Amino acid sequence: MASVEKIVDPDKARRKIKADRRMREIMANYYMEAKTPKAQRGKKIAWITSGGPVEPLHAMDVIPIYPENYGAMIGASKMGVPLCEKSEEMGYARDLCSYARADIACATVAGGPIGGLPEPDMLVCCNNICGTVLKWYEVQARYYNVPLFILDTPITHTTFNDDMRRYVTRQSEEYIAFLEMACGRRFDYDRMKTVGDLSIRGQQLWQEILDTTMHKPAPMTCFDAFFHLAMIVTLRGTQTAVDYYEMLLAEMKERVAQGIGMLPVEKYRLVWDNLPIWYRLRWLSEKFMERSACLVADTYTSGWTSWMPYVDQTDFLGFMGESYARIFLNSGTDLMAENIVRMVKKYDAHGVVFHSNRSCKPYSFGQYDIQRIVQKKLGIPTLMIEADMVDERSFSESQVETRIDAFIEMLG
Amino acid sequence: MDHFEFFRRISDNPRGYAVDWKQKSGAKVVGHFCSYTPQELLVAAGALPYRILGSGADIVHADGYLQSYCCSLVRGGLEDALAGRLAFLEGAVFPHTCDSIQRLSDIWRMNAGFDFHADIIMPVKLDTASAAEYMTAVLARFKADVEKGLGVTISDTMLHEAIHICNRVRHSLEQLYALRRQNPQAICGSDLHAVFKAALVMDRRELADALEALVTVLKTVPANEKPVGKRLVLSGGLCSMPDIYQVVEASGGHVVWDDFCTGARYFEGMVDTSGDPLQALAQRYLQRVVCPAKHAGIYARGQYLLDKVKESHADGVIFLYLKFCDPHGFDYPYMKAMLDDCAIPSLMFEVEDQLSAEGQLRTRCEAFLEML
Ligand code: SF4
Ligand code: SF4
């Protein structure tokens, strides 16, 4: 058993990220606008999947709403279990994705955080993250009786080929046509150009922020990234996101310059894989902190920049389909393993923590192989935590704590 | 005389059949998991398309590769591969359907050690023009993969011939469905199950002949009484194919239709023989009722089920749900609601693996039938 001493941290106040407050403000405003009654709001609302191309929505002045971000809020506010149970009463099996279950249940009860999401005028579903979103959005298309657009992004098991390229490019055009139909006006190509630039800029900034943790001590951890991620997901393509990330990046650089780390003692550096365990963020972050283990990077928050290599700055729309199709979750297990190996090297990590997430099969199946690949290529210890991102019933505190202890011992 | 003896022997030991076939023919056996595998292309290549159902053996190896929250079809299939029970295969084909199969393809490719591996990364929506175009391109790519992987060239003539054979199979299977509906004296659900299970692995030429012979014989069986029992439609996912028909029939039900990919979806929709063969194959997939992992409108499967219940004058529906199956799990509530709206009673039964099913299903099935 690793002995855990309480670390007294005189610098606790200094370590707090100042930008947090601004972030909360922005998110509150965003939801406030979306929740304004339709007549006063004027804008239409689209529900869209987290990996979906949001930029054309911004170009058409449609407010994007992310049920997955909402799922995270449900999880973080520990409202997941009653909602999951409600969905089970509605006939949904307990083994389905808990984001989907919680959202489907929430739609019918007008409960949950912020009193439920504003109703959609249209749905945009991109299956680059999973097949679950297709089924989930079908459910909501029936429930709200609104048009559904599916951007179908073939997976890159090993290679992305020309047939796929042509298919996703054609669909980008169909997407525009769908929006023109749903909004009742012509697509604004000029505005699209601006939004595209802002999106790329936002992604670059986000990646730069994530990269500041290459410094030792790391100015933030992946638990902070989980929080600040909301912006790149929901407001990607807006000036607001760019401004905010510029501010956050400046703060991170300042911390680096002053040598302020997020942990009082940073002995071990770790990489996290899979979605956060939303209802246990604080608990987990403290467990690792008490053991001087800093989670310097994760595969999840960097997922929103993983299409960067395939973006063409001069023709965002032309490459949109391909760049969205080629995110890392939509690729083969071995490619995902390479991504982790690269991250371990880049952030100079000592180990990898895998969250085996019952909810997310495409993210979790294959983790055993990735674990073996990491061990073989890098010879570093790994930890597998069995849990679920929202449904607390699948979390065993004592088991997780024991595993963390055993893992830390292996780190030496 | 038991006309089903021949099929039953194969369905009891599909592996034995494939191994024999391989020895006799000297040709290759290719495994697959899904009715979206264009068997015509494999048949045209001279190979035997072999649907992997999982032998139901204990999970020993697969636990190191797949978490416990994975359906028994995927786990069971991988287990058989890793344990060497599928060593007679040249390799396997993975049409992109659900998330579990998607990752199984990766895990299989990295660990199962076969020479041949093909992904059919088909569209998820099957109701748009661009998807139709893409689907045809995917089939052309798969054809090239098969040619390269099996070292053959597939001519249009060979492909046309394969399409013809597979259409003959479909036609016979359809006739068997009709027969079962009209005359359970000739063929009961359990017999049909054996025929289907055999049909998923048999040499398609041999199968086409055997089925035609079977249909001819069965047509002569006199219907000495009107079909009895409550008329039922089965729905859901039964990828691993336990013989639930027997259970349903023993409790007094009469199965008149299903929407299984190992049932009606296997034979529904003929492939057009007039035009370009690849386009014709693509068309069949675009027109056939979708599997729940695919999209063709938001009510497609529910409407199909309703139509079939009405067409076959069924009294009720039994949903079978394989634990951990996402696509079916999401479709069940709305399909049930559509039935409820038309006052069609239904029962939901969750199957974890082959063994757990029978006793419980029987009790619940009897109660359900009594209620009808
Ligand atoms: S958690 Fe996984 S299964 Fe659920 S919506 Fe996200 S990617 Fe899909
Ligand atoms: S049973 Fe469901 S989860 Fe399993 S392979 Fe079939 S569709 Fe996929």
Side-chain angles (χ1 to χ4, degrees):
Chain A
M1 231 3 51
S3 68
V4 179
E5 317 144 30
K6 273 273 167 246
I7 294 168
V8 197
D9 181 11
D11 282 336
K12 203 165 175 204
R14 257 181 94 213
R15 293 184 207 289
K16 222 182 124 19
I17 297 176
K18 314 277 175 303
D20 279 15
R21 265 192 51 206
R22 177 76 189 120
M23 167 89 188
R24 282 178 212 278
E25 251 171 55
I26 295 172
M27 291 309 287
N29 287 339
Y30 157 72
Y31 275 115
M32 214 135 66
E33 182 188 17
K35 292 215 54 159
T36 309
K38 211 175 190 157
Q40 296 152 44
R41 177 178 78 219
K43 298 178 181 174
K44 286 193 187 291
I45 286 185
W47 283 15
I48 180 167
T49 53
S50 67
V54 66
E55 293 81 0
L57 293 178
H58 285 305
M60 289 295 266
D61 237 353
V62 173
I63 304 179
I65 288 288
Y66 289 83
E68 287 158 79
N69 174 249
Y70 190 59
M73 283 163 69
I74 291 173
S77 50
K78 301 197 200 308
M79 292 169 121
V81 174
L83 286 169
C84 286
E85 281 170 350
K86 161 88 187 146
S87 75
E88 285 148 34
E89 281 164 31
M90 292 164 72
Y92 294 94
R94 183 173 163 173
D95 303 301
L96 302 174
C97 164
S98 52
Y99 275 179
R101 277 184 293 145
D103 177 63
I104 289 168
C106 213
T108 66
V109 294
I114 65 165
L117 287 178
E119 289 192 8
D121 297 295
M122 67 193 92
L123 300 165
V124 179
C125 169
C126 179
N127 62 349
N128 57 354
I129 49 172
C130 63
T132 281
V133 287
L134 171 73
K135 304 309 292 175
W136 174 4
Y137 276 57
E138 286 177 351
V139 171
Q140 299 301 31
R142 284 188 293 265
Y143 185 76
Y144 289 107
N145 193 24
V146 291
L148 163 67
F149 180 76
I150 299 163
L151 184 79
D152 181 11
T153 45
I155 181 176
T156 303
H157 275 297
T158 49
T159 40
F160 188 82
N161 63 47
D162 285 341
D163 300 331
M164 296 170 172
R165 193 166 284 120
R166 184 171 156 72
Y167 180 40
V168 293
T169 309
R170 275 192 71 180
Q171 289 180 80
S172 297
E173 292 155 17
E174 291 163 16
Y175 184 23
I176 304 298
F178 169 86
L179 288 179
E180 289 184 333
M181 184 268 299
C183 300
R185 66 194 148 81
R186 311 289 304 167
F187 188 71
D188 190 337
Y189 287 92
D190 292 335
R191 185 80 195 286
M192 181 64 220
K193 175 120 197 34
T194 317
V195 174
D197 288 347
L198 287 170
S199 170
I200 293 170
R201 183 75 194 117
Q203 291 173 54
Q204 283 164 340
L205 283 164
W206 179 236
Q207 189 60 55
E208 277 183 62
I209 292 166
L210 296 177
D211 285 351
T212 58
T213 60
M214 284 159 66
H215 291 93
K216 298 171 190 171
M220 60 182 250
T221 71
C222 79
F223 295 102
D224 302 295
F226 293 155
F227 174 71
H228 295 279
L229 167 78
M231 193 81 70
I232 196 70
V233 178
T234 56
L235 293 172
R236 184 169 70 250
T238 65
Q239 189 66 47
T240 316
V242 168
D243 291 347
Y244 176 74
Y245 281 144
E246 266 167 0
M247 176 177 138
L248 181 61
L249 179 62
E251 186 177 344
M252 287 304 138
K253 284 188 172 157
E254 181 58 28
R255 287 165 76 97
V256 168
Q258 293 190 23
I260 304 175
M262 188 43 89
L263 266 59
V265 184
E266 180 184 299
K267 195 163 159 205
Y268 312 110
R269 296 165 61 84
L270 306 172
V271 170
W272 174 276
D273 181 55
N274 211 308
L275 278 78
I277 304 172
W278 291 113
Y279 48 88
R280 281 308 170 107
L281 275 190
R282 154 112 23 122
W283 184 85
L284 271 172
S285 130
E286 279 168 4
K287 288 295 149 207
F288 283 107
M289 190 177 292
E290 285 162 3
R291 288 156 181 80
S292 305
C294 182
L295 285 140
V296 289
D298 71 282
T299 57
Y300 181 59
T301 57
S302 55
W304 275 266
T305 62
S306 62
W307 52 60
M308 290 298 286
Y310 313 108
V311 167
D312 182 334
Q313 299 255 20
T314 60
D315 181 16
F316 188 89
L317 213 48
F319 281 81
M320 187 175 73
E322 174 168 358
S323 54
Y324 275 93
R326 298 182 74 173
I327 67 162
F328 91 108
L329 192 48
N330 204 31
S331 65
T333 299
D334 28 5
L335 296 173
M336 289 169 76
E338 270 174 35
N339 182 47
I340 295 190
V341 168
R342 232 181 355 252
M343 287 180 84
V344 168
K345 288 184 184 155
K346 177 173 171 183
Y347 296 95
D348 198 12
H350 305 108
V352 180
V353 182
F354 292 90
H355 168 204
S356 164
N357 180 0
R358 287 184 84 89
S359 266
C360 192
K361 296 180 174 93
Y363 213 152
S364 303
F365 293 165
Q367 275 177 326
Y368 292 167
D369 274 292
I370 297 177
Q371 202 177 15
R372 275 188 290 270
I373 292 171
V374 166
Q375 273 156 2
K376 192 169 151 228
K377 286 205 172 157
L378 302 166
I380 56 171
T382 59
L383 165 66
M384 188 71 67
I385 297 176
E386 305 276 347
D388 181 280
M389 64 211 176
V390 165
D391 194 338
E392 287 183 66
R393 291 171 297 177
S394 303
F395 187 84
S396 155
E397 186 176 299
S398 56
Q399 196 198 69
V400 172
E401 189 156 8
T402 314
R403 290 217 181 154
I404 293 177
D405 278 332
F407 173 62
I408 300 287
E409 261 181 29
M410 277 163 65
L411 290 170
Chain B
M1 183 187 79
D2 189 351
H3 316 295
F4 301 101
E5 187 46 36
F6 171 69
F7 293 101
R8 220 174 277 284
R9 266 208 322 270
I10 298 169
S11 82
D12 284 346
N13 184 11
R15 255 189 313 144
Y17 175 87
V19 170
D20 277 356
W21 181 91
K22 184 177 170 174
Q23 220 158 43
K24 270 189 252 151
S25 67
K28 291 164 177 165
V29 186
V30 175
H32 69 90
F33 280 90
C34 175
S35 70
Y36 282 113
T37 302
Q39 45 169 337
E40 290 83 352
L41 281 161
L42 294 170
V43 172
L48 178 67
Y50 180 93
R51 178 147 174 166
I52 302 164
L53 293 171
S55 65
D58 285 348
I59 302 292
V60 182
H61 306 86
D63 273 341
Y65 297 83
L66 278 167
Q67 286 91 330
S68 58
Y69 45 92
C70 174
C71 77
S72 62
L73 175 80
V74 166
R75 275 161 74 79
L78 183 66
E79 178 65 30
D80 283 350
L82 295 174
R85 279 188 289 271
L86 297 174
F88 60 92
L89 296 180
E90 196 62 20
V93 178
F94 296 82
H96 185 258
T97 53
C98 66
D99 294 333
S100 307
I101 288 284
Q102 168 184 313
R103 288 299 169 221
L104 175 65
S105 165
D106 289 329
I107 296 169
W108 189 286
R109 174 168 51 80
M110 295 163 70
N111 301 289
F114 292 103
D115 292 335
F116 178 69
H117 186 98
D119 286 304
I120 303 180
I121 308 166
M122 55 180 295
V124 75
K125 49 182 179 179
L126 297 176
D127 58 350
T128 67
S130 57
E133 181 197 83
Y134 176 61
M135 183 73 204
T136 312
V138 167
L139 290 177
R141 200 169 279 278
F142 177 59
K143 178 170 172 255
D145 285 349
V146 170
E147 289 180 325
K148 188 158 166 258
L150 303 186
V152 289
T153 313
I154 302 173
S155 69
D156 271 8
T157 320
M158 290 152 98
L159 191 47
H160 274 300
E161 200 191 326
I163 288 175
H164 178 66
I165 294 167
C166 294
N167 274 348
R168 276 174 59 204
V169 169
R170 291 193 185 99
H171 182 66
S172 293
L173 291 174
E174 191 171 8
Q175 286 186 305
L176 290 179
Y177 260 52
L179 262 171
R180 176 186 53 174
R181 217 189 264 184
Q182 295 145 13
N183 183 12
Q185 213 60 28
I187 178 167
C188 65
S190 185
D191 297 330
L192 196 56
H193 174 258
V195 173
F196 260 83
K197 217 173 153 187
L200 295 174
V201 301
M202 273 181 72
D203 177 285
R204 302 306 194 262
R205 272 187 194 80
E206 188 186 4
L207 175 65
D209 293 343
L211 284 175
E212 279 161 9
L214 179 69
V215 171
T216 313
V217 176
L218 294 182
K219 277 189 173 160
T220 65
V221 177
N224 57 4
E225 53 194 293
K226 256 174 67 96
V228 285
K230 295 289 177 195
R231 299 166 69 85
L232 295 172
V233 171
L234 304 185
S235 174
L238 220 71
C239 299
S240 57
M241 262 198 123
D243 183 1
I244 41 91
Y245 297 94
Q246 201 186 332
V247 183
V248 173
E249 286 178 348
S251 18
H254 176 200
V255 179
V256 288
W257 197 262
D258 65 63
D259 79 344
F260 298 150
C261 62
T262 48
R265 274 210 298 284
Y266 180 65
F267 64 76
E268 276 189 306
M270 291 291 160
V271 178
D272 180 23
T273 48
S274 56
D276 170 65
L278 287 183
Q279 246 166 26
L281 288 176
Q283 272 308 313
R284 172 169 181 263
Y285 285 125
L286 295 161
Q287 280 157 9
R288 193 190 70 163
V289 64
V290 285
C291 127
K294 298 290 167 200
H295 174 90
I298 50 178
Y299 291 103
R301 293 193 62 239
Q303 193 54 51
Y304 172 85
L305 181 61
L306 216 51
D307 291 348
K308 288 301 169 190
V309 168
K310 289 182 180 164
E311 253 171 53
S312 49
H313 305 287
D315 302 300
V317 172
I318 298 183
F319 287 99
L320 291 142
Y321 171 71
L322 189 64
K323 192 163 166 59
F324 302 117
C325 172
D326 293 342
H328 282 287
F330 278 106
D331 270 359
Y332 162 69
Y334 101 87
M335 290 172 73
K336 176 185 188 302
M338 278 178 85
L339 295 176
D340 287 351
D341 286 346
C342 298
I344 299 160
S346 62
L347 168 77
M348 156 66 133
F349 190 76
E350 185 176 285
V351 187
E352 181 135 19
D353 53 42
Q354 313 214 357
L355 300 170
S356 68
E358 289 194 16
Q360 288 173 36
L361 176 59
R362 178 150 189 169
T363 319
R364 293 203 44 209
C365 202
E366 279 168 5
F368 177 64
L369 288 166
E370 242 164 65
M371 187 205 83
L372 285 179

